[in-house]
Amino acid sequence: QVQLVESGGGLVQAGGSLRLSCAASGGIFSINDMGWYRQAPGKQRELVATITRDGSTNYGNSVKGRFTISRENAKNTVYLQMNSLKPEDTAVYYCNVHQVRNGFMVVLQWGQGTQVTVSS
């Protein structure tokens, strides 16, 4: 019954910025970790960023220094601020809610994804 809805994707020129939002409903938000992943055509889904329930963050190597993940627990929302966008950032971006159990990431729900296209 938990639902995640992404928004904020679109078309942007290289060097520009976008802010993605992921709003959760139907479950407890603040006790869970959240993440952003992306998938480009012909590629495996890859880590973009994660944020724990207490605010600790982790980033994929390709986005470090350019992207920032944050959360507002009162609004049940996680954000991804994307700056200095590059054409290779073009992908469908998915948010998830997950927990780490016994050292493994257990995904509780995926969003439907939002398309980000960066033109050169």
Side-chain angles (χ1 to χ4, degrees):
Q1 193 172 9
V2 174
Q3 186 178 48
L4 303 176
V5 180
E6 300 99 332
S7 62
L11 176 64
V12 65
Q13 291 184 331
S17 298
L18 285 173
R19 188 194 193 204
L20 306 183
S21 299
C22 177
S25 64
I28 299 173
F29 177 83
S30 63
I31 66 171
N32 294 307
D33 302 338
M34 303 289 293
W36 286 98
Y37 289 73
R38 67 187 184 186
Q39 189 166 24
K43 300 289 187 179
Q44 296 292 315
R45 188 172 297 189
E46 67 173 353
L47 168 70
V48 176
T50 61
I51 184 166
T52 68
R53 59 184 178 178
D54 64 349
S56 180
T57 59
N58 184 55
Y59 296 91
N61 289 332
S62 63
V63 307
K64 288 180 179 178
R66 299 188 297 120
F67 292 8
T68 303
I69 188 171
S70 62
R71 65 192 296 165
E72 294 187 48
N73 290 341
K75 296 183 178 180
N76 293 340
T77 301
V78 63
Y79 304 96
L80 184 69
Q81 178 66 46
M82 304 185 294
N83 298 326
S84 301
L85 283 161
K86 305 174 181 179
E88 51 262 47
D89 295 319
T90 296
V92 178
Y93 285 70
Y94 300 89
C95 69
N96 75 20
V97 55
H98 65 268
Q99 296 178 351
V100 178
R101 302 174 183 171
N102 298 318
F104 295 92
M105 185 182 73
V106 180
V107 176
L108 304 180
Q109 187 64 265
W110 286 100
Q112 295 299 306
T114 185
Q115 177 71 48
V116 172
T117 303
V118 184
S119 65
S120 59

